[in-house]
Amino acid sequence: MTHCYNIAGMIFRVNHSYDGITRLCADWEYVPAGDRDTVPRTDITDIDITPDDIAFEREKDADGHRDAYLETLAMLRLAAEKAAFENVILFHSSSMLYGGRAYLFTAPSGTGKTTHCRLWKELLGDNTAFLNGDKPFIRLTADGPVIFGTPWKGKEGYGGNISAPIGGICLVGRGTENRVTRADFSEVLPRLIRQTYRPRTAEAYERVMKSLIATASSVPVFEMSCNISAEAAAASFEAMTGEKAPQTFRSAKNG
């Protein structure tokens, strides 16, 4: 079966075998506007998912997932490989919308970045929203880096088909005290690289590194040592936005 999806401004025409991709990417489906479609054929990127691609994902899978699920991972990997040539990178993070900008929290799985985003939601209520819970794309544009929600939203399913300019990136770490400091991106670049999809070909890898460095050098990057608490969410909010966190939130959570 073949379907087209618009992800991060790229039109992917995906040839696949299972309907898991159809369900996963429903909100990103691209439907041409008949004969008046303005997307040139040359701007459509083909992704042909083969049994070998699924087998590649199976070798890395420790949980025995079905092929239909592994095919969705193969699509993500192949899309990220092709996106590298469009100044687009796959960056493992959870992200929140606030004040028209996106704030990204990145860390190895299990560190608590998704929980931290949930605390932001409790902190700000309807003034914030989840953009993506796990694997967004970042596109480098003439106006700066923009984050795009993708179908790969994490097990909680946080986020949607939305985008926003990036207001800041925060590297999350566990600690007994809540401390957020502005970082020199060059000093934390190795950690940012570990959270970025790294293509297998040298040319694509070079493109990704250039886009990552351009992104990290043009937006504020922070390091955070924190526990999972109301104070931690308030600390990151204040450092990243420059605004005062609502006191009622901290009082309610810790009273």
Side-chain angles (χ1 to χ4, degrees):
M1 62 186 78
T2 302
H3 294 86
C4 290
Y5 304 102
N6 186 340
I7 302 173
M10 296 171 289
I11 309 299
F12 294 104
R13 182 167 47 206
V14 185
N15 297 314
H16 56 100
S17 300
Y18 302 96
D19 62 2
I21 285 178
T22 307
R23 294 194 303 270
L24 178 72
C25 302
D27 291 341
W28 283 261
E29 185 174 8
Y30 170 72
V31 180
D35 295 335
R36 301 181 65 83
D37 181 20
T38 58
V39 178
R41 186 178 181 85
T42 55
D43 285 352
I44 296 178
T45 300
D46 285 307
I47 293 179
D48 298 309
I49 305 175
T50 68
D52 286 344
D53 291 315
I54 295 176
F56 179 83
E57 299 300 332
R58 188 181 301 115
E59 290 179 0
K60 301 183 296 178
D61 178 44
D63 298 319
H65 287 108
R66 296 177 180 271
D67 284 1
Y69 174 77
L70 297 177
E71 189 176 53
T72 67
L73 300 183
M75 176 186 167
L76 175 61
R77 173 173 53 83
L78 295 171
E81 296 271 352
K82 294 177 180 293
F85 295 95
E86 301 295 330
N87 299 319
V88 176
I89 61 176
L90 172 61
F91 188 68
H92 179 218
S93 59
S94 297
S95 50
M96 300 299 292
L97 282 171
Y98 175 78
R101 306 189 76 81
Y103 296 90
L104 283 60
F105 298 89
T106 187
S109 297
T111 304
K113 60 185 181 297
T114 302
T115 301
H116 195 82
C117 285
R118 283 200 295 266
L119 286 169
W120 262 52
K121 184 62 178 173
E122 292 183 40
L123 172 71
L124 300 165
D126 292 339
N127 291 322
T128 191
F130 295 98
L131 191 148
N132 184 268
D134 192 31
K135 294 181 175 64
F137 279 160
I138 296 174
R139 175 184 282 276
L140 192 63
T141 75
D143 296 322
V146 176
I147 184 173
F148 288 80
T150 73
W152 297 273
K153 299 178 287 185
K155 62 178 181 287
E156 295 87 359
Y158 290 148
N161 187 2
I162 49 181
S163 62
I166 297 176
I169 299 173
C170 186
L171 291 139
V172 181
R174 291 286 182 89
T176 56
E177 298 181 357
N178 297 313
R179 184 174 67 255
V180 185
T181 57
R182 184 75 177 263
D184 184 327
F185 89 91
S186 62
E187 295 179 357
V188 297
L189 186 59
R191 292 164 62 191
L192 295 173
I193 291 174
R194 287 195 291 272
Q195 299 303 106
T196 307
Y197 176 77
R198 300 179 293 283
R200 291 174 291 172
T201 66
E203 185 180 4
Y205 183 89
E206 182 179 0
R207 293 287 192 98
V208 164
M209 290 302 101
K210 287 182 177 179
S211 294
L212 176 62
I213 290 170
T215 295
S217 62
S218 61
V219 300
V221 179
F222 300 85
E223 286 188 281
M224 177 170 65
S225 173
C226 67
N227 52 40
I228 304 302
S229 67
E231 287 91 347
S236 67
F237 173 80
E238 291 178 352
M240 297 178 77
T241 68
E243 299 181 20
K244 193 69 176 175
Q247 292 295 322
T248 53
F249 171 77
R250 281 184 279 192
S251 299
K253 294 294 289 185
N254 299 290

